Amino acid sequence: MDPDDDPPPTDAAAALQLIQDQRSATARRLDPDARLLYWPWGVAWLVGFGLFFLRFTPGDRALVDLPSWLPLTVLFVLLVAAAVVQATARERAYDQVTGDSAKRGRWYGYAWGLGSLSVYAGLGRISGHLPDDLESLLWSTTSVGLIGALQMAGGAIWLNRDLFRLGVWISVINVVGAIAGPGWHALVMAVAGSGGILVAGALARRRQRQQQ
């Protein structure tokens, strides 16, 4: 035994505590902070859809006279930033994991990237032929629908009830907002959508701390 190493525990209670401490340390290294996985999306929705509501308020009027292109641009940039933060957090965790878990994580990340790219490419080809309010509704409902579906898929992959429920919540309120129409959809997403994501992140982080 190396004389610089700590001596092994001499009783069962100390041994169990040592095992628990090592498990907690491993979980902290391999499990990314839940706030990095949820909160960037919540902030993106709060700001991006908030601007949509201010510019495309129901009734063909605007609460704030913003350029018609600004809400969509801000939302798109914030969504990309949130995706980068999430992907970076997951990649750092899965760099230390091998096998099926790492493969699932990477493939899931590819689904986010390629799925978003293909959807946005299609929307870009047709949205310019619509009025501004319907163009914004098309972009926002499609983007939110994709996110809700991918959240449910992630919950199914990892058997994560909370992630799956968040995907269901996002999908349901997306349908409600789409039926309500331009302006109202943005308000629903800015309040109920971002609120649900932020709360989900806080609850997931609390559970992480309890497990550690």
Side-chain angles (χ1 to χ4, degrees), residues 2 29 32-33 57 81 88 92 98 104 107 162 172-173 191 200 208-209:
D2 190 328
R29 291 197 305 271
D33 190 328
T57 309
T88 301
R92 287 179 177 175
T98 59
R104 288 192 189 100
W107 287 7
D162 294 335
V172 169
I173 64 174
V191 177
Q208 283 182 329
R209 289 177 172 172

Side-chain angles (χ1 to χ4, degrees), residues 51 54-57 61-68 70-71:
L51 290 178
L54 294 176
R55 174 59 179 83
F56 300 107
T57 309
R61 58 191 178 87
L63 290 178
V64 179
D65 187 18
L66 299 171
S68 61
L70 182 62

Side-chain angles (χ1 to χ4, degrees), residues 94 96-106:
Y94 289 122
Q96 305 176 65
V97 179
T98 59
D100 290 343
S101 294
K103 187 180 295 185
R104 288 192 189 100
R106 291 191 177 92

